[in-house]
Amino acid sequence: AVSARDALAKAVYGRTFTWLVQKINQSLAVKEEIYQSGKASTVIGLLDIYGFEVLQNNSFEQFCINYCNEKLQQLFIELTLRSEQEEYETEGIAWEPVTYFDNKIICDLIEEKHKGIISILDEECLRPGETCDISFLEKLEDSLGGHPHFVTHKLANGKIRRVMNREEFRLLHYAGEVNYNVTGFLDKNNDSLNRNLKEVMCQSDNQILSHCFRREEVFDQKRPEMAATQFKNSLMKLMEILMSKEPSYVRCIKPNDCKQPGRFDEILIRHQVKYLGLMENLRVRRAGFAYRRRFEAFLQRYKPLCPETWPNWHGPLADGVSTLVNHLGYKQEEYKLGRSKIFIRFPKTLFNTEDALEAKKPEIVLTLQTSWRGYRERAKYKRIRHAVIVIQSFWRGMKARRRAKRRREAANLIRKFIKGFIYRHNDYCSENEYFIDHVRRSFLMKLSKNLPKSVLDKNWPTPPPSLIEASEHLQRLHLCNMVTKYCRSIQPEWKKQMTQKVAASEMFMDQKDSYPMSVPRLFLDSRLEREHINLKVVQTLGNDKVQYGVTVVKYDRRGFKRRHRQLLLTNTFAVLVDRTKIKQKIDYSALRGISVSALSDGMIVLHMPNEDKKQKGDIVLHCTHVIELVTKLALMANKTNYVNISSGSIRFVIARGREGFIDFTRGSELSVVKGKRGHLLVTAPYINNT
């Protein structure tokens, strides 16, 4: 039951797949009516074959694949090497034959009737009694034991036995030695299907299945073919098709057995070149002749080069070709005359002959050209003379009609213009439409030549009453266009500078005394040179590059002791650095706000979250470039809306539950001291911003 099930499954799959292939081939086939109409072009077929397979464990599938490669190699030998030499022998051309490896002996070993491996395999599958893979191997040893390309563990010498199992046999293919394990050969080859199952499938409601299982098979008493025989017959049909065509080959060389790019195994490549017949093919081509053509074709093409063969040769073709090549000065080593063809050894000889033919063609056609040109020019002169007379008559009449038409149109145009001027103050109507359209067009043409060249140029031509609204729209559009062009022309560095300046303006304009002094000064990319930043700090930051650095003074939250630090800004956080190490890291996401005073001092308070008991509290800093620092920090942290400018005191968190204050006053010079109440007292100098 299991075998019947498997056989039915394989039959359904195989036949439906064959049905699908046939349907595709029918749809791709060139229809007969297209051939009869003469519209069909030459058909090109592409055959992509699987390569030679040598695996760790080679079974029935690899045996069939390598058998296919043997047949194709034999076809290659017959169509190239053998046919090349046979042509020379047929034409009676004396030359030294090139020996080559003929794998017909291997193909016969596999496919020969009653003696080949496939025949033995089929016989073992069909014979009565107990059969197994080992009995098949023993029968191969009995039948093929003396064959030079067949080896088994029993027939091999001691050296080969060490690398072969008792269930394997070895074939010496053209591309190398392959060991095949006979385990499963009989099961894979045995593809018989019970007639009762075929009859059931013929009665299937599925149209495809009923088509694949024909009813004639039920009554057919012929023994069904095995899988290997089916494969051999299919391969024979392919060989017949290829032999009837003119094939061209693309040989693929496997560079290595490791499937690695850029690696070439010289021994493996040399082995493939040797057994693919490439060296023999090259030797045949080099020993042979580059050009061959039948006598009649050669004489028909090149007979104008010899006076004795031009225009026609009336003797034997061989004598005509001999006369022609002697006139052309061919040397004995350059050509050979066969029974029906001429063989030219060197391409250079043929190229020189073609050059001579090209040089002769102008002389041959010179007489024809002279007569034809004279006839053509006389006929052309008569046609031109007649055409000139007709054109002159027609053109004179047309000029007179056009002149009268232009005068009528000019008179009507003047009437329209005058009538439109009279009704120019009325609404748009048929009486004044031409005049108003003319005025509008004149304004637009004048405007196109006098458009403002810059955003600051406010000159704009005065529009007519009918174009006031359109003029306003055009003025706005032109202004937007100039602004867009100006923005696109700004360099990335300057755009970045302006972005920062605009952000600083939104945060500090009319709110901080020192802002007007920062407006004419450019914001620098960094206030610290690269060598001023400690290398250990840069290594600690890793992939987070320093985007801005500045020297600041940090005030302790309790005693307000001054400590000189470096404030470094990256894309995701800021750090306070003390010479060689990072003292504090400030995550932008944790920053709750930035507070500065409205005076001209440089005090900055960075408000940090105080829910955690371990949190140190807010950070109090002093920087001489306070506008630049706060702007860059707010943009990087995306906290432009969290900048607080206080006109009085600034409250900051010392620790959880404790707060401190910074009081600001104006004075003659800047000072930062601790006040009597424990507050930090900051005196900011007066600034004259006028």
Side-chain angles (χ1 to χ4, degrees):
V2 172
S3 299
R5 178 201 62 188
D6 294 343
L8 178 60
K10 288 194 292 183
V12 170
Y13 177 85
R15 298 193 182 201
T16 52
F17 184 80
T18 303
W19 175 87
L20 176 61
V21 172
Q22 292 175 352
K23 285 296 182 181
I24 294 175
N25 290 339
Q26 291 173 6
S27 65
L28 296 178
V30 179
K31 302 300 185 294
E32 184 177 356
E33 56 269 16
I34 299 180
Y35 273 116
Q36 295 176 354
S37 63
K39 296 181 180 179
S41 59
T42 303
V43 177
I44 298 178
L46 180 63
L47 175 62
D48 185 9
I49 65 170
Y50 28 62
F52 193 84
E53 287 194 358
V54 184
L55 308 179
Q56 290 293 112
N57 186 16
N58 301 287
S59 185
F60 181 76
E61 296 82 5
Q62 285 70 41
F63 174 77
C64 294
I65 291 173
N66 294 340
Y67 167 50
C68 177
N69 278 272
E70 289 286 357
K71 293 295 292 182
L72 292 172
Q73 174 66 12
Q74 185 184 25
L75 177 71
F76 173 75
I77 292 173
E78 291 181 357
L79 293 181
T80 55
L81 306 180
R82 185 180 299 169
S83 61
E84 186 82 8
Q85 299 192 39
E86 288 177 353
E87 183 179 11
Y88 294 142
E89 295 175 0
T90 303
E91 291 293 327
I93 302 298
W95 78 309
E96 182 180 354
V98 176
T99 58
Y100 54 87
F101 175 76
D102 192 349
N103 67 333
K104 185 177 185 299
I105 184 173
I106 304 176
C107 296
D108 292 341
L109 171 64
I110 298 174
E111 68 184 10
E112 189 175 5
K113 288 186 178 180
H114 309 300
K115 296 181 181 179
I117 296 176
I118 295 178
S119 297
I120 297 174
L121 179 60
D122 291 348
E123 181 180 348
E124 189 68 12
C125 291
L126 295 173
R127 75 176 178 86
E130 292 293 331
T131 61
C132 63
D133 297 322
I134 300 301
S135 64
F136 164 64
L137 181 60
E138 292 174 353
K139 196 165 186 178
L140 287 179
E141 293 173 344
D142 296 337
S143 302
L144 306 174
H147 199 283
H149 291 268
F150 177 82
V151 180
T152 64
H153 185 275
K154 178 180 178 181
L155 302 175
N157 54 32
K159 182 179 179 181
I160 298 178
R161 285 182 179 179
R162 287 195 291 269
V163 296
M164 285 187 64
N165 296 329
R166 296 184 182 274
E167 298 82 12
E168 292 182 344
F169 67 91
R170 174 180 292 183
L171 293 184
L172 278 65
H173 291 280
Y174 78 96
E177 301 174 351
V178 183
N179 295 341
Y180 298 98
N181 195 315
V182 297
T183 303
F185 259 60
L186 297 183
D187 292 338
K188 295 176 181 178
N189 185 54
N190 193 359
D191 195 16
S192 59
L193 186 63
N194 191 283
R195 285 193 179 89
N196 295 333
L197 295 178
K198 291 183 180 179
E199 185 176 3
V200 170
M201 299 310 295
C202 290
Q203 299 172 3
S204 173
D205 294 335
N206 189 298
Q207 295 182 1
I208 297 177
L209 284 180
S210 60
H211 177 78
C212 293
F213 290 86
R214 296 186 299 275
R215 190 168 295 276
E216 304 87 60
E217 297 182 22
V218 179
F219 307 101
D220 189 5
Q221 301 299 324
K222 186 178 179 182
R223 186 185 68 185
E225 294 179 343
M226 298 298 169
T229 304
Q230 295 177 13
F231 184 82
K232 183 182 72 172
N233 295 338
S234 177
L235 191 57
M236 291 299 180
K237 293 179 182 179
L238 176 62
M239 293 297 107
E240 293 177 2
I241 295 174
L242 294 179
M243 289 295 291
S244 64
K245 306 300 179 183
E246 185 178 350
S248 300
Y249 299 91
V250 177
R251 284 290 190 180
C252 298
I253 301 295
K254 183 167 69 172
N256 60 77
D257 290 326
C258 305
K259 299 180 181 179
Q260 294 180 357
R263 177 179 175 182
F264 294 89
D265 188 345
E266 184 178 352
I267 297 176
L268 177 62
I269 294 176
R270 189 185 299 116
H271 175 79
Q272 294 177 80
V273 170
K274 177 181 178 181
Y275 285 100
L276 289 177
L278 300 183
M279 298 303 298
E280 293 86 347
N281 191 27
L282 287 176
R283 286 197 293 269
V284 169
R285 291 297 183 182
R286 293 179 62 182
F289 296 85
Y291 173 84
R292 65 207 66 183
R293 187 63 66 88
R294 300 189 67 84
F295 288 153
E296 54 268 24
F298 183 83
L299 188 61
Q300 180 66 27
R301 179 169 181 81
Y302 299 112
K303 65 182 180 180
L305 300 178
C306 178
E308 299 180 21
T309 58
W310 178 257
N312 293 304
W313 174 262
H314 300 286
L317 294 176
D319 296 342
V321 173
S322 179
T323 302
L324 177 59
V325 297
N326 291 333
H327 179 77
L328 294 175
Y330 281 14
K331 298 179 181 180
Q332 290 296 329
E333 64 274 11
E334 293 181 352
Y335 76 99
K336 293 289 183 181
L337 293 180
R339 295 184 176 88
S340 61
K341 294 181 181 180
I342 178 174
F343 295 81
I344 298 177
R345 185 178 300 276
F346 307 116
K348 183 179 179 181
T349 304
L350 183 64
F351 296 157
N352 293 336
T353 306
E354 285 290 335
D355 294 341
L357 179 62
E358 292 298 324
K360 189 71 175 178
K361 286 180 180 179
E363 180 180 346
I364 297 174
V365 301
L366 182 60
T367 303
L368 295 176
Q369 286 180 340
T370 303
S371 301
W372 168 250
R373 286 172 182 169
Y375 168 78
R376 184 184 60 185
E377 293 301 324
R378 285 191 296 271
K380 181 180 178 180
Y381 170 75
K382 291 180 180 179
R383 290 196 303 271
I384 292 175
R385 187 172 183 275
H386 179 264
V388 167
I389 295 174
V390 174
I391 292 172
Q392 285 177 345
S393 301
F394 182 79
W395 179 247
R396 290 191 183 101
M398 180 173 286
K399 283 177 62 177
R401 289 190 293 272
R402 286 182 178 178
R403 191 181 302 111
K405 182 180 179 181
R406 286 197 301 271
R407 289 176 179 175
R408 287 194 299 270
E409 291 177 350
N412 293 332
L413 186 62
I414 294 173
R415 292 191 188 97
K416 284 183 180 181
F417 194 83
I418 296 174
K419 193 173 184 180
F421 180 77
I422 296 173
Y423 292 97
R424 65 185 181 278
H425 298 298
N426 296 357
D427 294 336
Y428 190 79
C429 58
S430 59
E431 285 78 8
N432 61 4
E433 61 179 354
Y434 179 80
F435 179 80
I436 293 178
D437 291 343
H438 175 75
V439 171
R440 290 174 176 175
R441 182 179 181 278
S442 300
F443 170 74
L444 294 176
M445 294 298 294
K446 178 182 177 182
L447 179 62
S448 64
K449 299 177 181 178
N450 297 278
L451 289 172
K453 304 299 183 183
S454 66
V455 179
L456 301 178
D457 187 2
K458 302 301 181 182
N459 294 328
W460 191 265
T462 303
S466 60
L467 281 179
I468 293 178
E469 184 179 358
S471 176
E472 294 175 354
H473 285 296
L474 290 174
Q475 189 173 6
R476 285 195 298 271
L477 289 175
H478 182 64
L479 181 61
C480 293
N481 186 34
M482 288 191 297
V483 171
T484 303
K485 288 183 178 179
Y486 176 76
C487 293
R488 289 178 179 175
S489 64
I490 297 176
Q491 297 296 326
E493 296 81 5
W494 188 243
K495 184 177 181 180
K496 178 181 177 182
Q497 186 72 222
M498 293 185 67
T499 302
Q500 295 176 2
K501 285 291 185 179
V502 170
S505 173
E506 294 175 352
M507 290 185 290
F508 300 108
M509 179 180 284
D510 299 330
Q511 297 190 63
K512 189 166 179 64
D513 293 347
S514 59
Y515 171 73
M517 296 178 60
S518 68
V519 172
R521 299 175 184 174
L522 295 177
F523 288 166
L524 301 183
D525 291 340
S526 180
R527 293 288 176 175
L528 294 175
E529 299 294 337
R530 182 172 297 179
E531 56 270 13
H532 292 163
I533 302 175
N534 190 274
L535 184 59
K536 292 183 178 180
V537 175
V538 176
Q539 294 175 349
T540 303
L541 294 177
N543 295 330
D544 295 307
K545 304 297 182 182
V546 177
Q547 304 296 330
Y548 178 76
V550 66
T551 302
V552 298
V553 176
K554 180 179 178 298
Y555 290 91
D556 291 345
R557 287 173 290 277
R558 291 180 175 83
F560 300 116
K561 185 177 179 179
R562 294 164 52 90
R563 299 185 186 277
H564 292 280
R565 297 283 188 268
Q566 291 179 347
L567 180 61
L568 306 180
L569 305 183
T570 67
N571 288 327
T572 56
F573 58 84
V575 292
L576 280 171
V577 178
D578 178 17
R579 294 185 180 179
T580 61
K581 62 181 180 179
I582 298 175
K583 299 296 291 183
Q584 188 170 355
K585 180 179 178 181
I586 307 168
D587 289 327
Y588 293 152
S589 59
L591 187 62
R592 295 190 300 113
I594 305 171
S595 295
V596 296
S597 72
L599 305 182
S600 60
D601 59 279
M603 298 302 296
I604 307 171
V605 177
L606 303 180
H607 299 285
M608 305 300 295
N610 54 11
E611 290 80 4
D612 190 0
K613 293 182 180 181
K614 297 180 180 181
Q615 183 58 251
K616 296 180 180 180
D618 296 340
I619 302 172
V620 181
L621 304 174
H622 180 271
C623 179
T624 56
H625 308 285
V626 62
I627 303 297
E628 179 179 289
L629 172 59
V630 173
T631 300
K632 290 181 177 290
L633 178 59
L635 289 175
M636 289 185 182
N638 196 18
K639 300 288 185 179
T640 54
N641 296 329
Y642 292 83
V643 177
N644 178 36
I645 301 176
S646 177
S647 58
S649 299
I650 297 178
R651 183 171 59 183
F652 62 94
V653 177
I654 297 177
R656 184 175 180 84
R658 297 182 57 192
E659 294 182 343
F661 295 88
I662 304 177
D663 298 330
F664 296 91
T665 60
R666 283 190 172 87
S668 58
E669 59 183 12
L670 177 66
S671 66
V672 181
V673 296
K674 184 176 181 182
K676 295 180 180 180
R677 296 185 299 171
H679 296 185
L680 185 63
L681 181 60
V682 179
T683 302
Y686 292 99
I687 294 180
N688 185 7
N689 290 325
T690 59

